[in-house]
Amino acid sequence: MKKDSLIASPFMLWVLIFTIIPLGMVCWYAFTDASGAFTLANIETIGTYWVYLKDSLVMGAVATLLCLVLGYPVAYIMSRASWGAQQTMMMLLMLPQWMNFLLRTYSWMTILENNGLINTLLGKIGLGPFHMINTKGAIILGMVYNFLPYMILPIYSVMEKIHESLFEAARDLGANRFNTLLRVVMPLSLPGVITGITMVFVPSVSTFVISQMLGGGRNMLIGDVIERLFVGAAPNYNVGAALSLVLMVLILISMAIMKKFDDGEETGGLMM
Amino acid sequence: MSENIISLKNISVSFDGEVILDKLNLDIKDGAFVTLLGPSGCGKTTTLRIIGGFQEPDSGDVFFGSERINDLPAHKRKLNTVFQRYALFPHLNVYENIAFGMRIQKKSESEIRAKVDEMLKLVSLEGFEKRRTSTLSGGQQQRVAIARALANDPRVLLLDEPLGALDLKLRQEMQVELKRIQSRLGITFVYVTHDQEEALSMSDTIVVMNHGVIQQIGSPIDIYNEPENGFVADFIGESNIVDGIMHADCDVEFCNTRFECVDTGFAKDEEVDVVIRPEDIVVVPKEESGLRGTVTSVTFKGVHYEMYVDVPGEEEEWIIQSTVAQEEGKEIGMTVDPENIHIMKKYTGDYASDIEFA
Ligand SMILES: Nc1ncnc2c1ncn2[C@@H]1O[C@H](COP(=O)(O)OP(=O)(O)O)[C@@H](O)[C@H]1O
Ligand SMILES: [Mg+2]
C-alpha cells in the first residue's frame, strides 16, 4: 500500500499540474463573466455556434469512417505479411509522420489549388479545372491523410497477435478467406478498431489547422471558433472555455458509447 | 475397412534446402487408428499438414480414396484437425466454437443445436455450452477441440500430439476416451505422437518415422516384437542392443558367447545388431551361462524390478526386468530363449542421439 502511494505520488503531481489545474481553469472561465461573477451565459452561447459544432462532428465522423475503410485492409495485409515486409510497410507508413504536420497539410494546398498540381495535370488532358481547395471535401481529405496511421496502427497491432493457428483452424473447418475474415479476424480485431476510431475521431473533431489551411476560413469548424475566441481580434476567454468544455463533454460521451459497444460485444460473447 | 482412404505417394518436402520428408509412401486404411510415431523433428507434423492441406509437398501425390487432392484447398477437404495447441477461437464460447464449421455450411439452428449437444455428450462436456474457452482447463479445451473437429462429420480426423500438454493421469484417461470415440464413430484417426507407450496402447497401425523416412509400419505387437531395425527396437521401449556376428543361420555370437536364435538369411559372419528386450532375459546362476555380469543397481518399478548389469567388455550396461530382485554387486548369468533374440541389419545412424530428441 505504502509502496503504491510512493510510486503514485509523482503521477499525482503530474496529473495535478497538467490535468486538474488546466481543467479547473477552463471550468472557471466557462462559468464566469468578464468581471468574474458566476454565469451560465457562456454555455448558452452554444446555440449560436451549434452549426460549427455539428459540422465538426459530421466531418470528423466521415473522416473516421473513411480512415476505417481505407485503414482496415492495410492493417490486415500488413499483419499477414512476412516479418521483413511488415517492417518495411510500417516504415513507409510512418515516414510522412516524421515531417512537420503543418508542412504536410500545406503541401496539400499546392496540390488541390485551382492552378495546383492536380488541375495542371488534368488540364493537360483537357479536363477541369475542378474546384477542390477550400471545400469540406478538402478538409476531410486533410483529416484522413493526417490521421490514417492512427487508425492503422492499433488495428494492425491487434491483428498481428492473432495466431496463425486460428487461421488454419478456420480453414480446417471449411472457412474460405472471406469467412475467416468475417468470423475470426473481424471480431478479434474489434478492440483495435475501437481504439483506432477514438484516436482518429478526437483529433479530427477538434482540429483547426486543417480546416484553416484546406478550408480557407470558409468552412469553420468548432476548433477554429475556439481558436479565434482565444487569439482572434476580439478575444473572449469565457465563451472559448465554455465551447471547449462542451466539445470535451461531447467527445467523452461518444467515447463512452464506443466503450459500451466494445464491452457489449464481450458480454454478448459470454452470454450466447 | 480394407479400402485406403489416404495414400501418400513419393512425398518429398524440403525446408531451406534441408530434406524433411524423403519420398514418403504411406497408405492409411479407412476406419483405422493409425499413429505416426517418431522423435521430435522427424517430420510427423509436416506429414499431417500435407494430408490436411496446410503444406504443399515439393513432389509426390496425396490421394483421398482414389481422388488426387494435391490441388484441393484445405477448407474443401473432408477431414478435420485437432491442433497441437487446440487453436480454439477466443472470441467464441464453447457452443459457438463447436458450431463454427456448421455455421459456415449454413446449417439450420436446430440442426446445429442437435449436433453440438451430441458432440458435447460425446466428449463429456454437457452444460459447458456458454463457457468462454479461456475459463476451461487444458483437458476441457482439448475436448472442445475434438468436438469442434468432429462436428463437421469428417471421414478422417487428424490429431497432432493432442495430449502433449496434459498431465499423465489426464493423458491416460483421454487415451482411453479417444479410442472409445474412434471406435464409436468408426472414422479414420491419424494420430501423431512421440510417446511410444501412447502409440502402442491406442493404435491399430503404427508408422515409425525417423529423419523423414518411415522405419517400419505394423501393428503394435509386430512393432514391439519384430522391430525391423535397431532404431525401431530402441525407440519402442527399452532394449539391449549389442554388436553381434551371424556365423550361420540360427547361430549368432555376441559378448563372446554363442547363442542359438531363429533368424536366417544373413551372410556368413555378417555383422549385425542384436536386440534383446529387458523382460526377455532370464537370470541364472553364473555357472550356467557364458553371458555374465555384475548387478550395479536395482530399482522397484511397481510390477517388476529393473536392474542394470555391467557385462565385461560392453560399453553400455544391460537392462533386465524381472519379478525377482537380485542383490547389488552379485555376479549373475543370463540366458535368452532363441525366439527372443532379434537379429537386425546394422543401423548406420546413432539411435541413442536420435532418440535423445524425443
Ligand atoms: N515452416 C517450416 N520452415 C522451416 N522448417 C520447418 C518448417 N516446418 C517444420 N520445419 C522443420 O522440419 C522438421 C520436421 O518438423 P515437424 O514435421 O514439425 O517434426 P515433428 O512433428 O516430427 O516434431 C524440423 O526440423 C522443423 O524444424
Ligand atoms: Mg510436431
Side-chain angles (χ1 to χ4, degrees):
Chain A
M1 199 65 207
K2 200 170 172 199
K3 205 170 164 193
D4 278 356
S5 53
L6 264 179
I7 293 172
S9 60
F11 177 73
M12 289 314 293
L13 193 67
W14 196 94
V15 167
L16 189 71
I17 294 174
F18 293 107
T19 308
I20 310 260
I21 294 178
L23 205 59
M25 285 170 71
V26 170
C27 287
W28 187 77
Y29 275 115
F31 291 105
T32 53
D33 60 20
S35 65
F38 177 80
T39 175
L40 285 177
N42 300 323
I43 301 285
E44 280 157 9
T45 59
I46 192 67
T48 330
Y49 297 109
W50 176 247
V51 55
Y52 302 114
L53 191 60
K54 195 197 73 190
D55 267 7
S56 299
L57 290 172
V58 169
M59 285 165 75
V62 170
T64 307
L65 193 69
L66 283 173
C67 281
L68 181 61
V69 170
L70 293 172
Y72 197 87
V74 174
Y76 178 65
I77 292 166
M78 243 172 98
S79 71
R80 290 299 116 195
S82 71
W83 194 79
Q86 287 188 28
Q87 297 302 306
T88 311
M89 285 192 256
M90 176 75 87
M91 177 82 177
L92 291 174
L93 197 64
M94 293 313 290
L95 207 59
Q97 298 294 310
W98 298 337
M99 229 178 317
N100 183 282
F101 177 78
L102 292 172
L103 204 63
R104 252 185 295 152
T105 310
Y106 185 77
S107 67
W108 274 108
M109 287 174 73
T110 65
I111 295 172
L112 297 175
E113 269 164 0
N114 291 343
N115 50 5
L117 187 63
I118 293 180
N119 277 324
T120 310
L121 289 177
L122 285 177
K124 292 212 165 130
I125 54 168
L127 290 173
F130 294 100
H131 176 60
M132 290 175 287
I133 194 75
N134 302 344
T135 60
K136 285 185 176 165
I139 298 175
I140 291 174
L141 176 77
M143 291 174 174
V144 171
Y145 179 72
N146 278 304
F147 303 132
L148 186 58
Y150 302 109
M151 181 63 82
I152 295 176
L153 290 181
I155 298 177
Y156 159 77
S157 77
V158 172
M159 279 185 176
E160 186 241 2
K161 290 192 189 76
I162 303 177
H163 199 271
E164 187 58 32
S165 68
L166 292 185
F167 286 82
E168 291 193 350
R171 268 208 287 163
D172 185 76
L173 294 163
N176 56 19
R177 262 170 218 279
F178 174 73
N179 266 318
T180 306
L181 189 67
L182 193 69
R183 291 169 188 275
V184 179
V185 179
M186 284 190 176
L188 284 175
S189 61
L190 199 63
V193 171
I194 306 261
T195 309
I197 288 177
T198 314
M199 285 179 67
V200 172
F201 184 67
V202 174
S204 295
V205 167
S206 47
T207 186
F208 58 89
V209 175
I210 295 174
S211 45
Q212 270 168 25
M213 293 177 94
L214 301 176
R218 253 186 290 162
N219 296 280
M220 287 232 293
L221 296 182
I222 191 72
D224 299 292
V225 175
I226 294 170
E227 194 226 2
R228 276 178 203 196
L229 286 167
F230 280 97
V231 299
N236 185 337
Y237 283 22
N238 304 96
V239 174
L243 289 184
S244 302
L245 211 57
V246 171
L247 181 61
M248 205 176 86
V249 168
L250 283 174
I251 288 172
L252 280 175
I253 289 172
S254 32
M255 278 168 66
I257 293 171
M258 288 296 290
K259 188 94 179 68
K260 187 114 188 151
F261 182 59
D262 192 18
D263 292 348
E265 282 293 316
E266 291 272 312
T267 43
L270 199 68
M271 302 311 285
M272 264 192 66
Chain B
M1 183 79 191
S2 58
E3 290 283 294
N4 288 333
I5 189 150
I6 302 277
S7 296
L8 302 180
K9 303 251 187 261
N10 278 315
I11 298 286
S12 295
V13 177
S14 302
F15 290 126
D16 314 321
E18 198 184 334
V19 178
I20 303 300
L21 294 180
D22 194 7
K23 297 212 179 65
L24 188 116
N25 283 289
L26 178 62
D27 290 324
I28 293 169
K29 292 217 185 322
D30 197 6
F33 195 122
V34 175
T35 300
L36 305 182
L37 173 67
S40 181
C42 74
K44 305 181 297 292
T45 297
T46 306
T47 309
L48 210 63
R49 289 172 61 82
I50 285 172
I51 299 173
F54 298 109
Q55 173 72 51
E56 268 187 53
D58 297 340
S59 65
D61 298 317
V62 185
F63 286 92
F64 190 90
S66 56
E67 183 196 359
R68 184 176 177 277
I69 56 166
N70 285 51
D71 304 319
L72 195 67
H75 68 271
K76 291 190 177 153
R77 298 191 181 187
K78 280 225 57 86
L79 35 81
N80 288 105
T81 308
V82 176
F83 291 89
Q84 198 158 7
R85 298 255 164 262
Y86 318 140
L88 298 178
F89 300 116
H91 59 297
L92 300 177
N93 62 20
V94 170
Y95 183 99
E96 287 303 323
N97 261 282
I98 299 174
F100 191 91
M102 292 182 281
R103 294 235 180 269
I104 285 164
Q105 294 168 34
K106 303 223 169 3
K107 296 229 167 121
S108 73
E109 193 60 47
S110 60
E111 206 176 341
I112 292 176
R113 168 146 293 282
K115 191 75 188 180
V116 172
D117 283 348
E118 183 194 332
M119 288 299 123
L120 284 170
K121 202 163 173 188
L122 187 71
V123 299
S124 315
L125 277 183
E126 293 108 318
F128 280 73
E129 290 87 341
K130 294 185 173 60
R131 290 277 290 273
R132 297 221 99 177
T133 55
S134 56
T135 67
L136 302 178
S137 71
Q140 289 165 340
Q141 291 187 28
Q142 183 59 78
R143 287 161 196 266
V144 176
I146 293 166
R148 183 180 69 175
L150 288 173
N152 268 14
D153 290 325
R155 301 257 319 265
V156 178
L157 188 69
L158 309 176
L159 303 101
D160 191 356
E161 312 225 9
L163 310 182
L166 307 182
D167 62 49
L168 184 65
K169 190 160 153 34
L170 204 53
R171 269 167 84 136
Q172 288 166 344
E173 277 173 32
M174 284 301 291
Q175 287 173 14
V176 175
E177 207 156 328
L178 277 173
K179 190 69 196 155
R180 175 183 64 81
I181 290 171
Q182 193 258 342
S183 54
R184 162 142 7 142
L185 299 177
I187 64 172
T188 311
F189 273 35
V190 184
Y191 192 95
V192 162
T193 184
H194 64 256
D195 180 335
Q196 65 277 11
E197 278 178 43
E198 198 165 283
L200 288 171
S201 67
M202 299 174 83
S203 323
D204 298 322
T205 303
I206 296 178
V207 179
V208 185
M209 294 176 66
N210 193 31
H211 291 316
V213 176
I214 292 178
Q215 305 290 322
Q216 186 172 0
I217 302 178
S219 70
I221 292 174
D222 286 347
I223 299 265
Y224 190 84
N225 286 339
E226 307 292 338
E228 268 172 30
N229 60 37
F231 173 80
V232 176
D234 209 23
F235 195 73
I236 298 280
E238 281 170 301
S239 283
N240 299 291
I241 303 180
V242 293
D243 297 330
I245 296 169
M246 228 25 209
H247 288 298
D249 280 354
C250 304
D251 177 8
V252 65
E253 179 184 338
F254 55 88
C255 302
N256 300 319
T257 315
R258 295 287 268 262
F259 285 87
E260 188 191 340
C261 62
V262 294
D263 297 78
T264 58
F266 289 88
K268 181 166 163 47
D269 294 332
E270 183 175 343
E271 290 189 15
V272 292
D273 283 330
V274 179
V275 176
I276 299 166
R277 296 280 179 205
E279 68 271 23
D280 289 337
I281 295 170
V282 182
V283 178
V284 295
K286 64 179 177 186
E287 301 77 25
E288 290 177 25
S289 174
L291 178 57
R292 290 175 204 164
T294 311
V295 178
T296 58
S297 76
V298 181
T299 317
F300 183 56
K301 289 281 185 178
V303 179
H304 59 258
Y305 292 90
E306 187 167 280
M307 290 163 282
Y308 282 84
V309 178
D310 182 32
V311 176
E314 286 295 302
E315 243 174 76
E316 307 221 0
E317 298 193 325
W318 283 58
I319 306 173
I320 301 180
Q321 289 170 356
S322 164
T323 49
V324 183
Q326 303 292 327
E327 257 175 74
E328 272 181 39
K330 184 179 164 188
E331 200 182 357
I332 58 168
M334 296 178 280
T335 63
V336 189
D337 287 343
E339 66 270 21
N340 287 334
I341 297 176
H342 306 288
I343 310 291
M344 280 150 215
K345 291 250 181 243
K346 269 233 163 285
Y347 176 75
T348 44
D350 175 1
Y351 15 88
S353 73
D354 284 351
I355 287 166
E356 206 71 2
F357 281 110

